[in-house]
Every structure is written in C-alpha cells, then in structure tokens.
Amino acid sequence: MPELILVPTPIGNLEDITLRSVRILKEAELIFAEDTRVTKKLISHLGFTKHVLPFHAHNEHKILQSVIDKILSNETTVLVSDAGTPGISDPGFLLIRACIENGIKVTCLPGPTALIPALVGSGFPCDRFCFEGFLPHKKGRQTKLIALSQEERTIVLYESPHRLTKCLGQIEEYFGSERRVCVVRELSKIYEEYQRGEVKEVKLYYENHPPKGEIVIIIEGKN
Ligand code: SAM
C-alpha cells in the first residue's frame, strides 16, 4: 500500500535526527523537499545520496495532483521541510489532506520541531497550550492580538528576529506590560538562549541586544 511518511529534520544540531528518520530517508523510493539543496546537504551529511524533488509553498497547489500520482505509484514517499516537522508553519497540510482523501496511508514520525522544546523550556504551564505560528503581518493582526490577550492557555508564536521588538511592543500594548513572556532563540544551536520576564523587560533587553537567528515567543496565559 502506498504510504506518505513525514520526516522531521533537525532545527539546529544535526544529532537531533532520530535513527528511525535516518532509516526511512535511506529506504524511501521518493523524497519531496521544501528546498532540495537543504535536504541533499542533510542526506549527504548522513552518508548517502538520493534523488530529491521539490515540494514548496510556491508550487504545492500546482503540482499536488502529480505528486499524488507519484505517491500512488511508489511504496514509500517521504516529505521533509527545511527544518522541523513538515506541516508546522511549513508546506505539508495540503498534501497530507489530499493523501487521506485518496486513501493513501499517512504517517508522521516523531521528531524535531521548535514549538515543543520552546514551550516546555519556558517554564510556563504546558499541560494545555495554543500554537498560533506566525501572526498575520497586517490584516487581522490586531483582531488576533485582542483575542489572544484573553487566552488562558500558554500561547506559542513564531517570529522573525527583525520583527521581535515590534511584536513584543504589541504584546505589551494588548496584553499589558506585566504579562510574562519567554523569548526562545536559536534552539538546539550554539547560541541557544531563553529570555524570561515581564514583556516590558524582555522588550528592553532586545532593544539593547538586537537579536539574530530563529525565535519562538511564549506568552503566559491570562490568569
Ligand atoms: N516546521 C518548523 C517546526 O516544526 O518548528 C517551523 C518552520 S517555520 C518556517 C520557521 C520558524 O520556526 C522560525 O522563524 C522560528 O520561529 C521557528 N524555529 C525554527 N527553528 C528554530 C530554532 N532552532 N530556534 C528557535 N525557533 C526556531
């Protein structure tokens, strides 16, 4: 039976890939990747070579049916993104849904993703949480921030470094300056950092230390 396997890839340290993921990548007849160069580099680091085909945000609608046809004519097809788990703020969802509609078995391997270590390491309650990914840049942003300011669960956001202080400023405006946040930067990399405190303090820190790299913002729920 044809199967699509979603394989999470490292978000920093290459040792984070699981033994099972390495084996599945080795055995796959077909690999689709967000950026074929990034995936070929990872595969070459793992010690083998593979033909890798593109599946990214710009072509996923256009090539969906041809990808489904290819999956149907193979045993095992793998989908990877550049880093982390496919489908989590990365291409994947459309293909997963189409596979299920076409009776194709879908399996997602457990593995790296930025949101879980950031959430757990923040020290905020992680028994219940809400993941919002990247907030909309313009339209709908204010409405979303107003709604989230009333959210009682811990909130997880993805953000880019050049928008961090602006985003913290908006959290201060809509949630209040004393709402506690944790900014998690460069997870699983050399300069991994957790900055915890009231949003006004964390914002001040990053105004004085402009951030680089990849960022997750964790916001304590309203209590
Ligand atoms: N699919 C990925 C996952 O499972 O986490 C997310 C991909 S999304 C395009 C990239 C965003 O994830 C970054 O802008 C950042 O917010 C977050 N991210 C990815 N790697 C990270 C890291 N090592 N440290 C902190 N945040 C990271």
Side-chain angles (χ1 to χ4, degrees):
M1 183 188 180
E3 183 176 12
L4 173 70
I5 307 185
L6 304 146
V7 175
T9 53
I11 57 164
N13 192 324
L14 293 179
E15 290 178 4
D16 291 341
I17 195 158
T18 69
L19 296 174
R20 185 177 173 205
S21 294
V22 175
R23 178 178 60 76
I24 297 288
L25 282 170
K26 249 186 209 161
E27 289 174 1
E29 288 152 285
L30 205 54
I31 298 179
F32 283 99
E34 189 182 6
D35 182 334
T36 55
R37 291 161 305 180
V38 172
T39 301
K40 280 183 182 163
K41 217 165 133 189
L42 172 69
I43 287 176
S44 135
H45 170 84
L46 297 172
F48 54 98
T49 52
K50 278 271 169 178
H51 185 52
V52 182
L53 297 172
F55 185 84
H56 45 70
H58 310 294
N59 74 354
E60 61 178 341
H61 284 272
K62 220 167 111 195
I63 68 165
L64 195 59
Q65 191 52 52
S66 73
V67 174
I68 291 290
D69 294 342
K70 286 195 175 81
I71 295 174
L72 283 168
S73 55
N74 285 279
E75 272 291 294
T76 310
T77 303
V78 159
L79 177 69
V80 291
S81 59
D82 288 352
T85 300
I88 298 295
S89 300
D90 266 342
F93 162 68
L94 276 184
L95 182 60
I96 296 160
R97 185 176 62 181
C99 283
I100 293 166
E101 283 166 3
N102 282 273
I104 297 166
K105 184 178 175 198
V106 175
T107 304
C108 180
L109 302 191
T113 186
L115 72 112
I116 298 297
L119 167 70
V120 176
S122 72
F124 295 141
C126 51
D127 49 344
R128 295 184 311 136
F129 66 94
C130 97
F131 172 64
E132 285 288 333
F134 293 99
L135 290 178
H137 287 171
K138 291 197 174 84
K139 200 167 170 278
R141 187 176 177 94
Q142 193 186 12
T143 314
K144 178 62 82 180
L145 282 162
I146 291 169
L148 287 176
S149 69
Q150 301 306 309
E151 174 60 62
E152 292 181 356
R153 296 168 296 175
T154 302
I155 301 158
V156 183
L157 302 178
Y158 283 169
E159 189 51 284
S160 73
H162 65 274
R163 289 204 194 87
L164 177 65
T165 52
K166 186 178 166 209
C167 183
L168 292 174
Q170 290 175 322
I171 295 170
E172 189 175 359
E173 183 184 343
Y174 290 98
F175 294 60
S177 59
E178 288 167 12
R179 183 68 74 96
R180 291 193 304 161
V181 299
C182 174
V183 170
V184 187
R185 202 174 62 80
E186 294 289 83
L187 269 167
S188 186
K189 301 185 194 177
I190 297 170
Y191 297 106
E192 178 173 304
E193 161 183 274
Y194 287 77
Q195 284 296 330
R196 303 178 178 88
E198 292 180 354
V199 62
K200 59 175 189 284
E201 300 161 347
V202 177
K203 184 174 115 224
L204 188 63
Y205 173 85
Y206 282 112
E207 281 167 352
N208 293 320
H209 303 83
K212 285 190 185 141
E214 300 194 276
I215 286 167
V216 184
I217 304 175
I218 314 290
I219 311 172
E220 190 175 38
K222 187 180 180 192
N223 52 32

